């Protein structure tokens, strides 16, 4: 009986592994965007991620974004100019304009797009996880 109870306790206290590889995108990231600081928050959702991007002026203490948008992304493929078609990256659109997010080493992602989110500010950058700057 004690062996059965000990085995049951061991099974209940052992974490259950989730299927598949770890999520390389979910997290909070930051990058310099000219004079602004760009934040990229990627949260899991069914079938992909919710992506929130904001650009703020670090000289102003109001923390009101100068520019912001929210989009969804999922694993897919995108045409990346001379590199050709790239498969297996997070892709999505913002107001009909495409973007791709590449996972780099742990704690870093790269946003790829050819458009500006607001005049003079593009989300295209290499982002590092908060605390890794």
């Amino acid at each position: 009986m004690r062996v059965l109870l000990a085995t049951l306790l061991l099974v209940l206290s052992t974490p259950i592994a989730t299927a598949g590889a770890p999520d390389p995108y979910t997290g909070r990231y930051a990058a310099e965007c000219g004079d602004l600081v760009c934040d990229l928050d990627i949260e899991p959702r069914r079938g992909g991620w919710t992506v929130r991007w904001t650009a703020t002026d670090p000289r102003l203490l109001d923390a009101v974004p100068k520019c912001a948008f929210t989009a969804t992304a999922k694993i897919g493929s995108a045409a990346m100019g001379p590199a050709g078609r790239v498969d297996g990256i997070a892709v999505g659109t913002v107001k009909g304009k495409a973007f791709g997010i590449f996972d780099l080493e742990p704690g870093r992602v790269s946003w790829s797009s050819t458009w500006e989110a607001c005049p003079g500010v593009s989300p295209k950058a290499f982002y590092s996880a908060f605390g890794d700057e």
Side-chain angles (χ1 to χ4, degrees):
M1 180 70 170
R2 286 184 180 180
V3 172
L4 180 62
L5 183 57
T7 303
L8 180 61
L9 288 174
L10 179 63
V11 168
L12 292 176
S13 65
T14 303
I16 298 172
T18 57
D23 178 356
Y25 297 104
T26 297
R28 294 190 51 167
Y29 304 92
E32 290 183 22
C33 297
D35 292 337
L36 304 177
V37 173
C38 293
D39 294 328
L40 182 60
D41 294 323
I42 304 174
E43 295 295 327
R45 66 183 291 271
R46 179 170 290 225
W49 300 269
T50 298
V51 178
R52 176 158 169 74
W53 179 88
T54 57
T56 56
D57 188 337
R59 299 167 294 185
L60 302 177
L61 300 177
D62 62 6
V64 175
K66 296 289 182 189
C67 188
F69 61 80
T70 300
T72 58
K74 63 182 179 178
I75 294 295
S77 62
M80 304 304 289
R85 189 153 209 77
V86 178
D87 295 319
I89 63 170
V91 296
T93 60
V94 175
K95 297 181 181 176
K97 299 174 282 190
F99 68 86
I101 303 174
F102 294 84
D103 64 308
L104 303 175
E105 69 257 11
R108 295 195 61 207
V109 295
S110 173
W111 180 288
S112 182
S113 61
T114 59
W115 45 268
E116 294 181 336
C118 53
V121 183
S122 171
K124 183 177 183 173
F126 292 101
Y127 290 82
S128 295
F130 282 140
D132 287 349
E133 296 87 31

